[in-house]
Amino acid sequence: MVVNGKLNVMGGIHKMKKKIFGLFMAAAASLFCLAGCTTATDGGSTGSGTTSNTTTTTTTNAGDDGSLQVGIVLPTKDEPRWLQDQAQFEKILGDAGFTNQVLFSQGSSATEKTNVETLLSKGVDVLIICPQDGAAAAAAVEAAKAEGVTVIAYDRLITGTEAVDYYVTFDSFAVGEAQGQYLIDNAPAGTDIPLYLYAGAATDNNAFIFFEGAWSVLQPKIADGTFKIANSSEAEALKGKASLTREEMAAIIGQVSTDWDFNTAKSKAEANLTIAGADMKGDVLVLAPNDGTARSIADVFASDKDITSYVVTGQDSEKASVQYIIDGIQSMTVFKDTRTLAQDSVEMAITILKGETPATDSSYNNEVKDVPAKQTNIVVVTKDNVTQALIDSGYYDAADFTGLN
Ligand code: BGC
């Protein structure tokens, strides 16, 4: 095998030792990186390798045998959120000297499966995967497990399979709770305030957790008549229930899902406002599940002459939404520091390859097992703390925005 121009003749055990040595070096380097890490490149790639429609490759050399050490599969390039994660992985793994490759599934479970097979054919040791569809991804990770690869579910849980070793995630319940609480704290005075509900894709386990978190705080306000649901008969029928079953949430999400898609969000918001009566206009509240959908929905609400004011949530701290917040078009976002999530995943991979058990702090049931998890906290970002949360923390440059204080 030719690696970086040299003939590689290492045998199995030697090869493994060399790999693990590389990982120790990487561990040291990545810990250093914790202090001095990177600015996210929202909307761009930092990869030094090749980029194609579905693939970005960064290959580095840590005295490795040329096979890949860490393979990462992310859902899509079309949302800035996942480009933030890509930038962090490439930075952390590249600086630490890991051979790695990031592949994008572009909204297709079939492409996702092919991506996993590609990484397996390159000899990957650890697979870090954020599924496009949490249930459909089971087959892909089962193929990885069959080859002895350690599987870390990243951000979104993979459901219905034993083949997930660990889960690295943000506290998604807290995300939904923060969105709901923001609406409560910023609601106009009075009762019967119209509340528009929107959710993520039903194929994403997180969409349920976000909704569950939001419902946990919004439901008492709906039940006591402070808020009235504008666009979901299923939610209206369930307003007396403090906690919902998965099936009940699925019924609501079935009505208000954006599929994590800007265009779906836009057309759903337009359709909702077209049929809304005068009692559902005026000063309104909007639960939007993430930044991409929040911007579409905010644009629709802002252009309706019968909407006097709206409060709209988001999450991810995408650059375009940060600008919307500075400009007063979007009300809040939730900062999920992808530096921490990528760093946690890499450190977990190193620990596993050292033959040790990584530290976890929670577990998530994926329908067949409790998957040990490492959770990261979230931060609510509004106009008031945007500089402190996103600029002072080094996540973005002030120069990327206009009108910052
Ligand atoms: C992630 C969000 C993201 C959404 C759409 C969710 O699983 O947690 O950060 O906005 O998917 O991609």
Side-chain angles (χ1 to χ4, degrees), residues 75-76 79 81-82 85 130-131 154-157 167 169-170 172 175 200-201 204-207 210 259-261 289-292 315-316 318 336:
T76 179
E79 294 174 36
R81 157 68 215 267
W82 303 112
D85 296 74
C130 180
Y154 182 77
D155 196 292
R156 298 177 181 170
L157 190 57
Y167 181 34
T169 182
F170 292 104
S172 296
V175 171
D204 177 1
N205 191 56
N206 285 349
F210 299 143
D259 279 334
W260 293 133
D261 176 70
N290 76 345
D291 282 350
Q315 77 167 300
D316 293 334
E318 290 181 0
K336 310 203 313 189

PDB file of all heavy atoms in Angstrom, residues 75-76 79 81-82 85 130-131 154-157 167 169-170 172 175 200-201 204-207 210 259-261 289-292 315-316 318 336, ligand 1:
ATOM      1  N   PRO A  75     -25.782  14.940   7.979  1.00  0.00           N
ATOM      2  CA  PRO A  75     -27.004  14.815   7.165  1.00  0.00           C
ATOM      3  C   PRO A  75     -27.026  15.596   5.861  1.00  0.00           C
ATOM      4  O   PRO A  75     -27.496  15.083   4.858  1.00  0.00           O
ATOM      5  CB  PRO A  75     -28.119  15.316   8.094  1.00  0.00           C
ATOM      6  CG  PRO A  75     -27.527  15.585   9.412  1.00  0.00           C
ATOM      7  CD  PRO A  75     -26.046  15.500   9.310  1.00  0.00           C
ATOM      8  N   THR A  76     -26.597  16.853   5.873  1.00  0.00           N
ATOM      9  CA  THR A  76     -26.720  17.646   4.649  1.00  0.00           C
ATOM     10  C   THR A  76     -25.804  18.859   4.689  1.00  0.00           C
ATOM     11  O   THR A  76     -25.556  19.425   5.745  1.00  0.00           O
ATOM     12  CB  THR A  76     -28.176  18.109   4.418  1.00  0.00           C
ATOM     13  OG1 THR A  76     -28.229  18.900   3.233  1.00  0.00           O
ATOM     14  CG2 THR A  76     -28.734  18.917   5.577  1.00  0.00           C
ATOM     15  N   GLU A  79     -27.756  22.924   5.038  1.00  0.00           N
ATOM     16  CA  GLU A  79     -28.101  23.724   6.216  1.00  0.00           C
ATOM     17  C   GLU A  79     -26.799  24.154   6.871  1.00  0.00           C
ATOM     18  O   GLU A  79     -25.953  23.311   7.174  1.00  0.00           O
ATOM     19  CB  GLU A  79     -28.905  22.888   7.218  1.00  0.00           C
ATOM     20  CG  GLU A  79     -30.276  22.470   6.717  1.00  0.00           C
ATOM     21  CD  GLU A  79     -30.947  21.523   7.696  1.00  0.00           C
ATOM     22  OE1 GLU A  79     -30.778  21.681   8.912  1.00  0.00           O
ATOM     23  OE2 GLU A  79     -31.614  20.587   7.226  1.00  0.00           O
ATOM     24  N   ARG A  81     -26.061  24.763   9.762  1.00  0.00           N
ATOM     25  CA  ARG A  81     -25.787  24.075  11.026  1.00  0.00           C
ATOM     26  C   ARG A  81     -24.730  22.989  10.837  1.00  0.00           C
ATOM     27  O   ARG A  81     -23.782  22.870  11.620  1.00  0.00           O
ATOM     28  CB  ARG A  81     -27.098  23.474  11.584  1.00  0.00           C
ATOM     29  CG  ARG A  81     -26.948  22.301  12.544  1.00  0.00           C
ATOM     30  CD  ARG A  81     -26.317  22.725  13.891  1.00  0.00           C
ATOM     31  NE  ARG A  81     -25.453  21.708  14.439  1.00  0.00           N
ATOM     32  CZ  ARG A  81     -25.785  20.756  15.299  1.00  0.00           C
ATOM     33  NH1 ARG A  81     -27.007  20.706  15.750  1.00  0.00           N
ATOM     34  NH2 ARG A  81     -24.903  19.885  15.739  1.00  0.00           N
ATOM     35  N   TRP A  82     -24.885  22.161   9.806  1.00  0.00           N
ATOM     36  CA  TRP A  82     -23.993  21.003   9.655  1.00  0.00           C
ATOM     37  C   TRP A  82     -22.646  21.399   9.086  1.00  0.00           C
ATOM     38  O   TRP A  82     -21.662  20.681   9.238  1.00  0.00           O
ATOM     39  CB  TRP A  82     -24.701  19.903   8.834  1.00  0.00           C
ATOM     40  CG  TRP A  82     -25.994  19.532   9.494  1.00  0.00           C
ATOM     41  CD1 TRP A  82     -27.250  19.762   9.018  1.00  0.00           C
ATOM     42  CD2 TRP A  82     -26.166  18.957  10.801  1.00  0.00           C
ATOM     43  NE1 TRP A  82     -28.193  19.354   9.942  1.00  0.00           N
ATOM     44  CE2 TRP A  82     -27.550  18.856  11.037  1.00  0.00           C
ATOM     45  CE3 TRP A  82     -25.277  18.518  11.790  1.00  0.00           C
ATOM     46  CZ2 TRP A  82     -28.084  18.330  12.228  1.00  0.00           C
ATOM     47  CZ3 TRP A  82     -25.792  17.998  12.969  1.00  0.00           C
ATOM     48  CH2 TRP A  82     -27.180  17.913  13.172  1.00  0.00           C
ATOM     49  N   ASP A  85     -20.571  22.095  12.109  1.00  0.00           N
ATOM     50  CA  ASP A  85     -20.018  20.858  12.685  1.00  0.00           C
ATOM     51  C   ASP A  85     -18.854  20.344  11.836  1.00  0.00           C
ATOM     52  O   ASP A  85     -17.814  19.930  12.364  1.00  0.00           O
ATOM     53  CB  ASP A  85     -21.104  19.766  12.763  1.00  0.00           C
ATOM     54  CG  ASP A  85     -22.230  20.156  13.694  1.00  0.00           C
ATOM     55  OD1 ASP A  85     -23.047  21.017  13.304  1.00  0.00           O
ATOM     56  OD2 ASP A  85     -22.297  19.614  14.802  1.00  0.00           O
ATOM     57  N   CYS A 130     -24.344  11.344  12.288  1.00  0.00           N
ATOM     58  CA  CYS A 130     -25.595  12.043  12.577  1.00  0.00           C
ATOM     59  C   CYS A 130     -26.584  11.604  11.507  1.00  0.00           C
ATOM     60  O   CYS A 130     -26.433  11.961  10.331  1.00  0.00           O
ATOM     61  CB  CYS A 130     -25.384  13.551  12.536  1.00  0.00           C
ATOM     62  SG  CYS A 130     -26.918  14.417  12.884  1.00  0.00           S
ATOM     63  N   PRO A 131     -27.579  10.815  11.879  1.00  0.00           N
ATOM     64  CA  PRO A 131     -28.433  10.209  10.852  1.00  0.00           C
ATOM     65  C   PRO A 131     -29.361  11.207  10.180  1.00  0.00           C
ATOM     66  O   PRO A 131     -29.859  12.134  10.802  1.00  0.00           O
ATOM     67  CB  PRO A 131     -29.242   9.188  11.649  1.00  0.00           C
ATOM     68  CG  PRO A 131     -29.314   9.751  13.029  1.00  0.00           C
ATOM     69  CD  PRO A 131     -27.997  10.473  13.242  1.00  0.00           C
ATOM     70  N   TYR A 154     -24.173  11.046  16.648  1.00  0.00           N
ATOM     71  CA  TYR A 154     -23.795  12.447  16.866  1.00  0.00           C
ATOM     72  C   TYR A 154     -25.022  13.346  16.701  1.00  0.00           C
ATOM     73  O   TYR A 154     -25.632  13.373  15.629  1.00  0.00           O
ATOM     74  CB  TYR A 154     -22.711  12.814  15.844  1.00  0.00           C
ATOM     75  CG  TYR A 154     -22.185  14.218  15.962  1.00  0.00           C
ATOM     76  CD1 TYR A 154     -21.281  14.561  16.956  1.00  0.00           C
ATOM     77  CD2 TYR A 154     -22.590  15.209  15.065  1.00  0.00           C
ATOM     78  CE1 TYR A 154     -20.781  15.844  17.063  1.00  0.00           C
ATOM     79  CE2 TYR A 154     -22.091  16.501  15.166  1.00  0.00           C
ATOM     80  CZ  TYR A 154     -21.187  16.809  16.163  1.00  0.00           C
ATOM     81  OH  TYR A 154     -20.699  18.093  16.262  1.00  0.00           O
ATOM     82  N   ASP A 155     -25.373  14.031  17.744  1.00  0.00           N
ATOM     83  CA  ASP A 155     -26.492  14.994  17.783  1.00  0.00           C
ATOM     84  C   ASP A 155     -27.876  14.341  17.672  1.00  0.00           C
ATOM     85  O   ASP A 155     -28.759  14.625  18.467  1.00  0.00           O
ATOM     86  CB  ASP A 155     -26.328  16.082  16.711  1.00  0.00           C
ATOM     87  CG  ASP A 155     -27.228  17.278  16.961  1.00  0.00           C
ATOM     88  OD1 ASP A 155     -28.452  17.127  16.847  1.00  0.00           O
ATOM     89  OD2 ASP A 155     -26.718  18.355  17.291  1.00  0.00           O
ATOM     90  N   ARG A 156     -28.077  13.493  16.669  1.00  0.00           N
ATOM     91  CA  ARG A 156     -29.368  12.793  16.544  1.00  0.00           C
ATOM     92  C   ARG A 156     -29.173  11.317  16.888  1.00  0.00           C
ATOM     93  O   ARG A 156     -28.229  10.690  16.381  1.00  0.00           O
ATOM     94  CB  ARG A 156     -29.878  12.879  15.111  1.00  0.00           C
ATOM     95  CG  ARG A 156     -30.150  14.289  14.624  1.00  0.00           C
ATOM     96  CD  ARG A 156     -30.589  14.248  13.169  1.00  0.00           C
ATOM     97  NE  ARG A 156     -30.848  15.578  12.648  1.00  0.00           N
ATOM     98  CZ  ARG A 156     -31.064  15.842  11.364  1.00  0.00           C
ATOM     99  NH1 ARG A 156     -31.045  14.859  10.481  1.00  0.00           N
ATOM    100  NH2 ARG A 156     -31.304  17.067  10.959  1.00  0.00           N
ATOM    101  N   LEU A 157     -30.093  10.769  17.665  1.00  0.00           N
ATOM    102  CA  LEU A 157     -30.010   9.358  18.058  1.00  0.00           C
ATOM    103  C   LEU A 157     -30.419   8.449  16.892  1.00  0.00           C
ATOM    104  O   LEU A 157     -31.273   8.809  16.083  1.00  0.00           O
ATOM    105  CB  LEU A 157     -30.933   9.127  19.256  1.00  0.00           C
ATOM    106  CG  LEU A 157     -30.831   7.780  19.972  1.00  0.00           C
ATOM    107  CD1 LEU A 157     -29.410   7.494  20.471  1.00  0.00           C
ATOM    108  CD2 LEU A 157     -31.808   7.732  21.151  1.00  0.00           C
ATOM    109  N   TYR A 167     -23.723   8.060  22.447  1.00  0.00           N
ATOM    110  CA  TYR A 167     -24.474   9.174  21.871  1.00  0.00           C
ATOM    111  C   TYR A 167     -23.895  10.465  22.445  1.00  0.00           C
ATOM    112  O   TYR A 167     -23.774  10.608  23.670  1.00  0.00           O
ATOM    113  CB  TYR A 167     -25.953   9.014  22.255  1.00  0.00           C
ATOM    114  CG  TYR A 167     -26.906  10.061  21.724  1.00  0.00           C
ATOM    115  CD1 TYR A 167     -26.726  10.668  20.481  1.00  0.00           C
ATOM    116  CD2 TYR A 167     -28.032  10.423  22.467  1.00  0.00           C
ATOM    117  CE1 TYR A 167     -27.630  11.609  20.003  1.00  0.00           C
ATOM    118  CE2 TYR A 167     -28.945  11.360  21.993  1.00  0.00           C
ATOM    119  CZ  TYR A 167     -28.734  11.947  20.765  1.00  0.00           C
ATOM    120  OH  TYR A 167     -29.627  12.871  20.294  1.00  0.00           O
ATOM    121  N   THR A 169     -24.524  14.462  22.432  1.00  0.00           N
ATOM    122  CA  THR A 169     -25.659  15.309  22.068  1.00  0.00           C
ATOM    123  C   THR A 169     -25.721  16.584  22.908  1.00  0.00           C
ATOM    124  O   THR A 169     -25.155  16.651  23.999  1.00  0.00           O
ATOM    125  CB  THR A 169     -26.988  14.537  22.259  1.00  0.00           C
ATOM    126  OG1 THR A 169     -28.081  15.366  21.864  1.00  0.00           O
ATOM    127  CG2 THR A 169     -27.207  14.107  23.696  1.00  0.00           C
ATOM    128  N   PHE A 170     -26.416  17.555  22.412  1.00  0.00           N
ATOM    129  CA  PHE A 170     -26.813  18.686  23.236  1.00  0.00           C
ATOM    130  C   PHE A 170     -28.023  18.257  24.059  1.00  0.00           C
ATOM    131  O   PHE A 170     -28.664  17.250  23.760  1.00  0.00           O
ATOM    132  CB  PHE A 170     -27.189  19.882  22.359  1.00  0.00           C
ATOM    133  CG  PHE A 170     -26.019  20.461  21.618  1.00  0.00           C
ATOM    134  CD1 PHE A 170     -25.841  20.212  20.270  1.00  0.00           C
ATOM    135  CD2 PHE A 170     -25.084  21.251  22.273  1.00  0.00           C
ATOM    136  CE1 PHE A 170     -24.752  20.731  19.577  1.00  0.00           C
ATOM    137  CE2 PHE A 170     -23.992  21.775  21.601  1.00  0.00           C
ATOM    138  CZ  PHE A 170     -23.827  21.511  20.250  1.00  0.00           C
ATOM    139  N   SER A 172     -31.279  18.395  24.302  1.00  0.00           N
ATOM    140  CA  SER A 172     -32.342  18.813  23.371  1.00  0.00           C
ATOM    141  C   SER A 172     -33.654  19.145  24.077  1.00  0.00           C
ATOM    142  O   SER A 172     -34.412  19.995  23.611  1.00  0.00           O
ATOM    143  CB  SER A 172     -32.567  17.729  22.314  1.00  0.00           C
ATOM    144  OG  SER A 172     -31.405  17.581  21.535  1.00  0.00           O
ATOM    145  N   VAL A 175     -33.379  22.621  24.969  1.00  0.00           N
ATOM    146  CA  VAL A 175     -33.550  23.507  23.804  1.00  0.00           C
ATOM    147  C   VAL A 175     -35.032  23.861  23.663  1.00  0.00           C
ATOM    148  O   VAL A 175     -35.421  25.033  23.589  1.00  0.00           O
ATOM    149  CB  VAL A 175     -33.056  22.832  22.500  1.00  0.00           C
ATOM    150  CG1 VAL A 175     -33.438  23.665  21.279  1.00  0.00           C
ATOM    151  CG2 VAL A 175     -31.547  22.603  22.532  1.00  0.00           C
ATOM    152  N   GLY A 200     -39.816  20.009  13.896  1.00  0.00           N
ATOM    153  CA  GLY A 200     -38.824  19.481  12.950  1.00  0.00           C
ATOM    154  C   GLY A 200     -39.356  18.266  12.200  1.00  0.00           C
ATOM    155  O   GLY A 200     -40.561  18.007  12.183  1.00  0.00           O
ATOM    156  N   ALA A 201     -38.441  17.514  11.599  1.00  0.00           N
ATOM    157  CA  ALA A 201     -38.842  16.341  10.810  1.00  0.00           C
ATOM    158  C   ALA A 201     -39.178  15.167  11.718  1.00  0.00           C
ATOM    159  O   ALA A 201     -38.455  14.887  12.679  1.00  0.00           O
ATOM    160  CB  ALA A 201     -37.714  15.952   9.862  1.00  0.00           C
ATOM    161  N   ASP A 204     -36.590  12.590  12.638  1.00  0.00           N
ATOM    162  CA  ASP A 204     -35.491  12.991  13.523  1.00  0.00           C
ATOM    163  C   ASP A 204     -35.967  12.899  14.967  1.00  0.00           C
ATOM    164  O   ASP A 204     -36.872  13.640  15.373  1.00  0.00           O
ATOM    165  CB  ASP A 204     -35.075  14.429  13.166  1.00  0.00           C
ATOM    166  CG  ASP A 204     -33.976  14.970  14.078  1.00  0.00           C
ATOM    167  OD1 ASP A 204     -33.511  14.229  14.973  1.00  0.00           O
ATOM    168  OD2 ASP A 204     -33.606  16.140  13.888  1.00  0.00           O
ATOM    169  N   ASN A 205     -35.354  12.009  15.736  1.00  0.00           N
ATOM    170  CA  ASN A 205     -35.736  11.845  17.138  1.00  0.00           C
ATOM    171  C   ASN A 205     -35.692  13.169  17.900  1.00  0.00           C
ATOM    172  O   ASN A 205     -36.488  13.420  18.804  1.00  0.00           O
ATOM    173  CB  ASN A 205     -34.773  10.822  17.776  1.00  0.00           C
ATOM    174  CG  ASN A 205     -35.222  10.367  19.130  1.00  0.00           C
ATOM    175  OD1 ASN A 205     -36.336   9.873  19.290  1.00  0.00           O
ATOM    176  ND2 ASN A 205     -34.377  10.560  20.133  1.00  0.00           N
ATOM    177  N   ASN A 206     -34.760  14.035  17.520  1.00  0.00           N
ATOM    178  CA  ASN A 206     -34.648  15.325  18.210  1.00  0.00           C
ATOM    179  C   ASN A 206     -35.914  16.155  18.087  1.00  0.00           C
ATOM    180  O   ASN A 206     -36.256  16.918  18.991  1.00  0.00           O
ATOM    181  CB  ASN A 206     -33.493  16.153  17.628  1.00  0.00           C
ATOM    182  CG  ASN A 206     -32.145  15.658  18.074  1.00  0.00           C
ATOM    183  OD1 ASN A 206     -32.055  14.821  18.971  1.00  0.00           O
ATOM    184  ND2 ASN A 206     -31.095  16.164  17.448  1.00  0.00           N
ATOM    185  N   ALA A 207     -36.600  16.033  16.955  1.00  0.00           N
ATOM    186  CA  ALA A 207     -37.809  16.840  16.756  1.00  0.00           C
ATOM    187  C   ALA A 207     -38.809  16.554  17.881  1.00  0.00           C
ATOM    188  O   ALA A 207     -39.508  17.453  18.363  1.00  0.00           O
ATOM    189  CB  ALA A 207     -38.424  16.542  15.400  1.00  0.00           C
ATOM    190  N   PHE A 210     -37.315  18.143  21.221  1.00  0.00           N
ATOM    191  CA  PHE A 210     -37.506  19.606  21.241  1.00  0.00           C
ATOM    192  C   PHE A 210     -38.973  19.923  21.550  1.00  0.00           C
ATOM    193  O   PHE A 210     -39.274  20.788  22.370  1.00  0.00           O
ATOM    194  CB  PHE A 210     -37.168  20.239  19.870  1.00  0.00           C
ATOM    195  CG  PHE A 210     -35.747  20.047  19.400  1.00  0.00           C
ATOM    196  CD1 PHE A 210     -35.467  19.832  18.051  1.00  0.00           C
ATOM    197  CD2 PHE A 210     -34.679  20.107  20.288  1.00  0.00           C
ATOM    198  CE1 PHE A 210     -34.166  19.674  17.597  1.00  0.00           C
ATOM    199  CE2 PHE A 210     -33.367  19.945  19.842  1.00  0.00           C
ATOM    200  CZ  PHE A 210     -33.114  19.721  18.499  1.00  0.00           C
ATOM    201  N   ASP A 259     -40.346  19.493   8.294  1.00  0.00           N
ATOM    202  CA  ASP A 259     -39.370  18.566   7.695  1.00  0.00           C
ATOM    203  C   ASP A 259     -37.962  19.161   7.716  1.00  0.00           C
ATOM    204  O   ASP A 259     -37.107  18.739   6.929  1.00  0.00           O
ATOM    205  CB  ASP A 259     -39.755  18.202   6.247  1.00  0.00           C
ATOM    206  CG  ASP A 259     -40.809  17.108   6.242  1.00  0.00           C
ATOM    207  OD1 ASP A 259     -40.870  16.340   7.214  1.00  0.00           O
ATOM    208  OD2 ASP A 259     -41.586  17.058   5.274  1.00  0.00           O
ATOM    209  N   TRP A 260     -37.712  20.112   8.572  1.00  0.00           N
ATOM    210  CA  TRP A 260     -36.431  20.840   8.635  1.00  0.00           C
ATOM    211  C   TRP A 260     -36.135  21.515   7.295  1.00  0.00           C
ATOM    212  O   TRP A 260     -34.980  21.674   6.922  1.00  0.00           O
ATOM    213  CB  TRP A 260     -35.260  19.920   8.995  1.00  0.00           C
ATOM    214  CG  TRP A 260     -35.235  19.330  10.371  1.00  0.00           C
ATOM    215  CD1 TRP A 260     -34.995  18.026  10.679  1.00  0.00           C
ATOM    216  CD2 TRP A 260     -35.383  20.007  11.617  1.00  0.00           C
ATOM    217  NE1 TRP A 260     -35.006  17.845  12.047  1.00  0.00           N
ATOM    218  CE2 TRP A 260     -35.243  19.038  12.644  1.00  0.00           C
ATOM    219  CE3 TRP A 260     -35.630  21.329  11.996  1.00  0.00           C
ATOM    220  CZ2 TRP A 260     -35.337  19.355  14.015  1.00  0.00           C
ATOM    221  CZ3 TRP A 260     -35.726  21.640  13.347  1.00  0.00           C
ATOM    222  CH2 TRP A 260     -35.578  20.663  14.328  1.00  0.00           C
ATOM    223  N   ASP A 261     -37.160  21.897   6.582  1.00  0.00           N
ATOM    224  CA  ASP A 261     -36.965  22.424   5.245  1.00  0.00           C
ATOM    225  C   ASP A 261     -37.529  23.847   5.169  1.00  0.00           C
ATOM    226  O   ASP A 261     -38.671  24.081   5.542  1.00  0.00           O
ATOM    227  CB  ASP A 261     -37.684  21.490   4.242  1.00  0.00           C
ATOM    228  CG  ASP A 261     -37.609  22.009   2.829  1.00  0.00           C
ATOM    229  OD1 ASP A 261     -36.512  21.975   2.267  1.00  0.00           O
ATOM    230  OD2 ASP A 261     -38.641  22.464   2.306  1.00  0.00           O
ATOM    231  N   PRO A 289     -38.859  25.637  15.147  1.00  0.00           N
ATOM    232  CA  PRO A 289     -37.932  24.678  15.755  1.00  0.00           C
ATOM    233  C   PRO A 289     -36.452  24.986  15.571  1.00  0.00           C
ATOM    234  O   PRO A 289     -35.650  24.618  16.418  1.00  0.00           O
ATOM    235  CB  PRO A 289     -38.298  23.357  15.080  1.00  0.00           C
ATOM    236  CG  PRO A 289     -38.902  23.741  13.766  1.00  0.00           C
ATOM    237  CD  PRO A 289     -39.596  25.049  14.008  1.00  0.00           C
ATOM    238  N   ASN A 290     -36.077  25.608  14.447  1.00  0.00           N
ATOM    239  CA  ASN A 290     -34.652  25.931  14.279  1.00  0.00           C
ATOM    240  C   ASN A 290     -34.498  27.196  13.439  1.00  0.00           C
ATOM    241  O   ASN A 290     -35.487  27.771  12.984  1.00  0.00           O
ATOM    242  CB  ASN A 290     -33.868  24.743  13.698  1.00  0.00           C
ATOM    243  CG  ASN A 290     -34.102  24.534  12.206  1.00  0.00           C
ATOM    244  OD1 ASN A 290     -35.036  25.061  11.615  1.00  0.00           O
ATOM    245  ND2 ASN A 290     -33.231  23.746  11.597  1.00  0.00           N
ATOM    246  N   ASP A 291     -33.258  27.601  13.237  1.00  0.00           N
ATOM    247  CA  ASP A 291     -33.028  28.899  12.600  1.00  0.00           C
ATOM    248  C   ASP A 291     -33.471  28.948  11.142  1.00  0.00           C
ATOM    249  O   ASP A 291     -34.054  29.943  10.692  1.00  0.00           O
ATOM    250  CB  ASP A 291     -31.531  29.261  12.684  1.00  0.00           C
ATOM    251  CG  ASP A 291     -31.144  29.775  14.058  1.00  0.00           C
ATOM    252  OD1 ASP A 291     -32.051  30.036  14.883  1.00  0.00           O
ATOM    253  OD2 ASP A 291     -29.934  29.929  14.308  1.00  0.00           O
ATOM    254  N   GLY A 292     -33.166  27.889  10.402  1.00  0.00           N
ATOM    255  CA  GLY A 292     -33.522  27.903   8.978  1.00  0.00           C
ATOM    256  C   GLY A 292     -35.020  28.075   8.795  1.00  0.00           C
ATOM    257  O   GLY A 292     -35.487  28.896   7.996  1.00  0.00           O
ATOM    258  N   GLN A 315     -33.067  27.976  16.723  1.00  0.00           N
ATOM    259  CA  GLN A 315     -31.932  27.327  17.372  1.00  0.00           C
ATOM    260  C   GLN A 315     -30.840  27.125  16.349  1.00  0.00           C
ATOM    261  O   GLN A 315     -31.113  27.033  15.156  1.00  0.00           O
ATOM    262  CB  GLN A 315     -32.300  25.978  18.006  1.00  0.00           C
ATOM    263  CG  GLN A 315     -32.455  24.822  17.048  1.00  0.00           C
ATOM    264  CD  GLN A 315     -32.496  23.466  17.726  1.00  0.00           C
ATOM    265  OE1 GLN A 315     -31.560  23.070  18.400  1.00  0.00           O
ATOM    266  NE2 GLN A 315     -33.617  22.765  17.550  1.00  0.00           N
ATOM    267  N   ASP A 316     -29.641  27.079  16.791  1.00  0.00           N
ATOM    268  CA  ASP A 316     -28.401  26.783  16.048  1.00  0.00           C
ATOM    269  C   ASP A 316     -27.454  27.969  15.941  1.00  0.00           C
ATOM    270  O   ASP A 316     -26.292  27.800  15.589  1.00  0.00           O
ATOM    271  CB  ASP A 316     -28.617  26.251  14.615  1.00  0.00           C
ATOM    272  CG  ASP A 316     -29.262  24.877  14.583  1.00  0.00           C
ATOM    273  OD1 ASP A 316     -29.103  24.137  15.568  1.00  0.00           O
ATOM    274  OD2 ASP A 316     -29.935  24.559  13.583  1.00  0.00           O
ATOM    275  N   GLU A 318     -27.207  30.137  13.615  1.00  0.00           N
ATOM    276  CA  GLU A 318     -26.666  30.291  12.261  1.00  0.00           C
ATOM    277  C   GLU A 318     -26.417  31.778  12.007  1.00  0.00           C
ATOM    278  O   GLU A 318     -27.173  32.634  12.477  1.00  0.00           O
ATOM    279  CB  GLU A 318     -27.659  29.746  11.228  1.00  0.00           C
ATOM    280  CG  GLU A 318     -27.776  28.229  11.290  1.00  0.00           C
ATOM    281  CD  GLU A 318     -28.736  27.649  10.262  1.00  0.00           C
ATOM    282  OE1 GLU A 318     -29.336  28.431   9.474  1.00  0.00           O
ATOM    283  OE2 GLU A 318     -28.898  26.424  10.259  1.00  0.00           O
ATOM    284  N   LYS A 336     -25.819  26.260  20.252  1.00  0.00           N
ATOM    285  CA  LYS A 336     -25.335  24.909  20.519  1.00  0.00           C
ATOM    286  C   LYS A 336     -23.890  24.915  20.031  1.00  0.00           C
ATOM    287  O   LYS A 336     -23.644  24.941  18.820  1.00  0.00           O
ATOM    288  CB  LYS A 336     -26.194  23.897  19.780  1.00  0.00           C
ATOM    289  CG  LYS A 336     -27.689  24.140  20.034  1.00  0.00           C
ATOM    290  CD  LYS A 336     -28.595  22.958  19.830  1.00  0.00           C
ATOM    291  CE  LYS A 336     -28.445  22.164  18.613  1.00  0.00           C
ATOM    292  NZ  LYS A 336     -29.527  21.168  18.438  1.00  0.00           N
TER     293      LYS A 336
HETATM  294  C1  BGC B   1     -30.436  19.400  15.128  1.00  0.00           C
HETATM  295  C2  BGC B   1     -30.661  20.869  14.920  1.00  0.00           C
HETATM  296  C3  BGC B   1     -30.899  21.149  13.442  1.00  0.00           C
HETATM  297  C4  BGC B   1     -31.956  20.222  12.876  1.00  0.00           C
HETATM  298  C5  BGC B   1     -32.097  20.361  11.390  1.00  0.00           C
HETATM  299  C6  BGC B   1     -31.590  18.631  14.554  1.00  0.00           C
HETATM  300  O1  BGC B   1     -31.435  17.282  14.765  1.00  0.00           O
HETATM  301  O2  BGC B   1     -30.271  19.117  16.502  1.00  0.00           O
HETATM  302  O3  BGC B   1     -29.556  21.592  15.402  1.00  0.00           O
HETATM  303  O4  BGC B   1     -31.310  22.461  13.256  1.00  0.00           O
HETATM  304  O5  BGC B   1     -31.650  18.883  13.165  1.00  0.00           O
HETATM  305  O6  BGC B   1     -30.965  19.976  10.727  1.00  0.00           O
END
